Amino acid sequence: MFPHSRREYLPFLRQHWRSLLLALLGVLVPFALFTHLTYEVFREGGFPWDRGVLDWYAQRRTPALTWVAEALATLGGVAVLPFVTLLVAWLLAGRGGRAHGWFLVSGVAGATLLNVTAKLVFQRPRPDELLAVLNEPGFSFPSGHAMSNAAFGFALTLVFWRSRAGWPVAVFGLLWALAVGASRNYLGVHYPSDVLAGFTASVAWVAGLYTVMARRWPQLRGSPAGPRDTR
């Protein structure tokens, strides 16, 4: 029985190793990290470095950096990011990448809904207002800006990964997510653990969504511009 199973199992691994690796690195590992962060914050009282990182940012604020951080907060917030996401999805659909557009919208929208739910469940207060540049309402864990923009950057990376623009888009998506996340700590409206939790939750969500949607729409594994642009 085992030799027969092995003859079926090894071809399965060779055929689906990319999907299995994505499930492991993209879903299970980030989810485990998110679980660990949640446990440390709500069962062990959080991390000592949370306050230390906020103090470090507060001591290095300048008018120019504050302007940049506030601009990132606006661009990555609800007033701009949803419209940018819909615009990119519309452009993708116009080039024949309708499935890619739906994946991008679903990734960002799903991450946003998960964030709202998580904040209502955990209800972590925001950092002390004395350290904050902005006075924002709502709860702190996980960071909504970090979560939605990480979902946008990671989903955009998966959309273009098999195209000629794969690496430039991946670098942009990573830097954009990191910049928005860092700006939340700089402004003092989120603890670093809030931002890390947002990153890990988004990666797990988007990777899982990609695995499911790519089974229904295999064209997601290729370039949105079609086979001629697929690496």
Side-chain angles (χ1 to χ4, degrees), residues 110-134:
T112 302
L113 291 175
L114 287 173
N115 179 262
V116 171
T117 303
K119 283 185 174 182
L120 291 176
V121 170
F122 298 119
Q123 298 188 9
R124 185 187 195 185
R126 289 186 183 271
D128 191 338
E129 292 182 359
L130 294 176
L131 286 178
V133 174
L134 303 176

Side-chain angles (χ1 to χ4, degrees), residues 23 54 80 85 92 101 104 112-113 125 130 136-137 145 147 151 157 176 208:
L54 292 183
V80 177
T85 302
L92 288 170
L104 179 64
T112 302
L113 291 175
L130 294 176
E136 293 197 357
H145 274 73
M147 197 163 174
T157 297
W176 176 256

Side-chain angles (χ1 to χ4, degrees), residues 133-152:
V133 174
L134 303 176
N135 183 16
E136 293 197 357
F139 298 110
S140 189
F141 184 92
S143 166
H145 274 73
M147 197 163 174
S148 57
N149 285 275
F152 176 77

Side-chain angles (χ1 to χ4, degrees), residues 40-125:
E40 290 293 333
V41 168
F42 295 99
R43 295 295 184 182
E44 302 297 330
F47 299 92
W49 44 263
D50 260 337
R51 178 61 62 174
V53 171
L54 292 183
D55 290 336
W56 186 88
Y57 276 113
Q59 294 168 8
R60 287 159 176 80
R61 286 177 184 151
T62 66
L65 288 176
T66 299
W67 182 88
V68 171
E70 291 177 340
L72 288 170
T74 300
L75 294 174
V78 295
V80 177
L81 183 64
F83 299 102
V84 172
T85 302
L86 291 173
L87 175 62
V88 175
W90 179 72
L91 293 173
L92 288 170
R95 297 188 63 187
R98 184 173 298 178
H100 299 79
W102 277 115
F103 166 69
L104 179 64
V105 171
S106 300
V108 176
T112 302
L113 291 175
L114 287 173
N115 179 262
V116 171
T117 303
K119 283 185 174 182
L120 291 176
V121 170
F122 298 119
Q123 298 188 9
R124 185 187 195 185

